[in-house]
């Protein structure tokens, strides 16, 4: 199933001008031997940022490929600022729905696609990815299944999800607002692929 989806995406992206989309190989950055730029987790001034420079990319990470619209940057708003701004919900939804409508075409709303997101863990009330997904559902005219997967822990690495609700549609868009290690998407893949579903992973910001 995954190879079929990658083949279909490759066919779609073949018609896209090279300037419109890139392929992120996830190459590791040059090692900072003297730790001159080592980040401290408690220093909010060094938090990841995004300037929303439109850079669609097909990215491999944690055993899955996902489409992203933006990449983290040195300048711009911090991810905390983005998630706390209600206006960003429509910003993400408009950009992602336009992207998917352009590349998937009218087949999006013909009854074979649905939408879900990753489990709520730290922010269970007014969850940013859930609010965006609700907007995406309305814009794309496809059903959104909330809480498809559940996770009892807050850890992101080696997370194990349990199936809570299985979408009826054969094709599922799995949306996440930010993707760093890709482990959450990998866990979603391991959960849903055995159910015979075709998965398309989409992220707002590639945070790696």
């Amino acid at each position: 199933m995954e190879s079929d989806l990658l083949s279909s995406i490759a066919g779609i992206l073949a018609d896209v001008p090279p300037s419109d989309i890139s392929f992120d190989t996830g190459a590791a950055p040059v090692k900072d031997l003297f730790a001159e730029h080592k980040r401290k987790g408690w220093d909010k001034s060094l938090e990841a940022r995004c300037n929303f420079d439109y850079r669609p990319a097909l990215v491999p990470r944690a055993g899955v490929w996902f489409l992203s619209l933006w990449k983290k940057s040195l300048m711009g708003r911090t991810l905390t600022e983005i998630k706390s701004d209600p206006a960003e919900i429509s910003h993400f939804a408009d950009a992602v729905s336009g992207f998917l409508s352009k590349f998937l075409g009218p087949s999006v709303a013909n009854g074979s696609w649905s939408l879900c997101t990753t489990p709520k863990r730290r922010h269970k009330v007014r969850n940013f990815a859930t609010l965006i997904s609700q907007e995406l559902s309305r814009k794309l005219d496809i059903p959104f299944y909330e809480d498809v997967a559940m996770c009892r822990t807050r850890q992101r690495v080696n997370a194990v999800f349990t199936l809570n609700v299985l979408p009826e549609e054969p094709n599922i868009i799995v949306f996440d607002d930010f993707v760093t290690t890709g482990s959450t998407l990998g866990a979603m893949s391991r959960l849903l692929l055995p159910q015979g579903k075709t998965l398309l992973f989409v992220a707002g910001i590639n945070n790696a």
Side-chain angles (χ1 to χ4, degrees), residues 77-196:
R77 309 187 74 188
T78 67
L79 301 192
T80 297
E81 291 171 340
I82 291 168
K83 294 187 81 154
S84 62
D85 184 355
E88 290 293 354
I89 296 168
S90 295
H91 179 204
F92 272 65
D94 288 342
V96 174
S97 63
F99 179 83
L100 291 174
S101 294
K102 178 179 178 180
F103 291 112
L104 292 181
S107 64
V108 176
N110 70 2
S112 63
W113 286 92
S114 62
L115 175 71
C116 74
T117 189
T118 55
K120 303 169 189 167
R121 281 178 282 190
R122 289 175 175 81
H123 306 284
K124 295 189 176 183
V125 178
R126 290 194 61 78
N127 179 271
F128 190 60
T130 296
L131 293 171
I132 294 170
S133 296
Q134 290 170 345
E135 286 285 328
L136 281 173
S137 173
R138 288 190 285 270
K139 291 179 178 295
L140 295 173
D141 194 24
I142 61 175
F144 167 56
Y145 291 83
E146 191 170 356
D147 297 326
V148 163
M150 304 295 286
C151 186
R152 296 188 178 183
T153 65
R154 293 187 175 186
Q155 68 183 40
R156 294 188 177 276
V157 179
N158 298 323
V160 177
F161 298 159
T162 57
L163 185 64
N164 182 52
V165 177
L166 182 64
E168 298 177 1
E169 292 74 16
N171 306 310
I172 306 173
I173 297 168
V174 182
F175 171 77
D176 206 353
D177 45 10
F178 312 134
V179 172
T180 303
T181 66
S183 61
T184 301
L185 297 186
M188 292 294 288
S189 176
R190 292 189 293 273
L191 181 70
L192 293 172
L193 277 181
Q195 306 297 325

Side-chain angles (χ1 to χ4, degrees), residues 39 48-50 55 70-74 205-208:
R39 293 190 174 190
R49 296 174 178 269
C50 182
R55 296 171 58 187
W70 305 291
K71 186 171 176 59
K72 74 173 184 180
S73 56
L74 295 176
I205 298 174
N206 173 12
N207 183 35

